[in-house]
Amino acid sequence: MSDIGDWFRSIPAITRYWFAATVAVPLIGKLGIISPAYFFLWPEAFLYRFQIWRPFTATFYFPVGPGTGFLYLVNLYFLYQYSTRLEAGAFDGRPADYLFMLLFNWICIVITGLAMDMQLLMIPLIMSVLYVWAQLNRDLIVSFWFGTRFKACYLPWVILGSNYIIGGSVINELIGNLVGHLYFFLMFRYPMDLGGRNFLSTPQFLYRWLPSRRGGVSGFGVPPASMRRAADQNGGGGRHNWGQGFRLGDQ
């Protein structure tokens, strides 16, 4: 048990709480402590009965059973692996920025869920985080099932296909990928690569609540081509330290 405790405490703080909630809420529903009917995102209950907890519980709940258990474990693994890698890598020392990314993605997914009557939001949020990691490490070669190897930028779409085989639907994965792309485009690609306006910035109250431990966001893998050209022209004196990525399955 001490080994499990040490492993759990080694997880970065935001990922640790997210992971714990994604384990605890399905367990509460499975044991019947609270009826799972209170966990789903039902637009009528949320908008007209003011059951304001539903967007939160729908983010953490997943109906675990004989037909869904493997899909749940696979996505729980993705949550742990890629949220940890982003929080401890690209967003190392910047918990406010990482929490803002999660909040932005979550709000977009909740709005989409209400519009499309999506009752569970766990998979879309996990996939949005995985998509951001894949784009920040897009040229990294990763390994997947059966020894297949490809660039990290294709990983979200490979997972979409594999989850379709396992679970029979791609809507959750597709929404997650699109939301992840929206965040990545507005936060990184449009202002940094295309020279556009910065539409997203972390609110100051998040910095006051979760102060940065060091300046700058680092570890973003390989920068876009135009940024690499600009860095070459400036003698490598760019402002952003994009760092290195991770291979799938690395500890």
Side-chain angles (χ1 to χ4, degrees), residues 7-165:
W7 166 79
F8 184 71
R9 286 187 292 271
S10 71
I11 303 174
I14 296 174
T15 301
R16 185 192 317 148
Y17 289 117
W18 183 13
F19 184 89
T22 307
V23 172
V25 174
L27 182 61
I28 290 172
K30 185 71 173 178
L31 296 177
I33 298 174
I34 299 177
S35 173
Y38 289 100
F39 295 151
F40 293 91
L41 180 61
W42 288 337
E44 180 181 354
F46 173 65
L47 296 173
Y48 302 111
R49 301 178 191 172
F50 302 104
Q51 296 179 359
I52 59 175
W53 66 84
R54 289 186 178 272
F56 299 96
T57 55
T59 304
F60 303 122
Y61 180 70
F62 194 84
V64 180
T68 60
F70 181 69
L71 181 62
Y72 167 73
L73 291 177
V74 167
N75 283 277
L76 193 65
Y77 170 80
F78 290 152
L79 186 163
Y80 166 72
Q81 285 287 338
Y82 295 100
S83 181
T84 295
R85 291 175 179 181
L86 271 184
E87 187 176 356
F91 292 89
D92 184 28
R94 302 299 298 270
D97 292 327
Y98 186 64
L99 182 60
F100 174 70
M101 183 198 74
L102 290 178
L103 290 174
F104 175 83
N105 290 359
W106 175 73
I107 290 172
C108 292
I109 290 170
V110 169
I111 294 173
T112 305
L114 291 172
M116 298 181 60
D117 196 21
M118 294 170 53
Q119 299 179 359
L120 297 173
L121 309 179
M122 186 191 85
I123 292 177
L125 186 58
I126 293 172
M127 289 300 300
S128 71
V129 170
L130 188 151
Y131 185 93
V132 173
W133 177 88
Q135 292 304 310
L136 295 176
N137 299 272
R138 59 180 300 109
D139 292 325
L140 187 70
I141 301 300
V142 298
S143 299
F144 199 60
W145 294 344
F146 308 111
T148 55
R149 294 169 61 83
F150 44 82
K151 289 185 177 181
C153 60
Y154 301 120
L155 180 61
W157 306 106
V158 172
I159 291 175
L160 182 148
S162 64
N163 280 3
Y164 174 76
I165 296 173

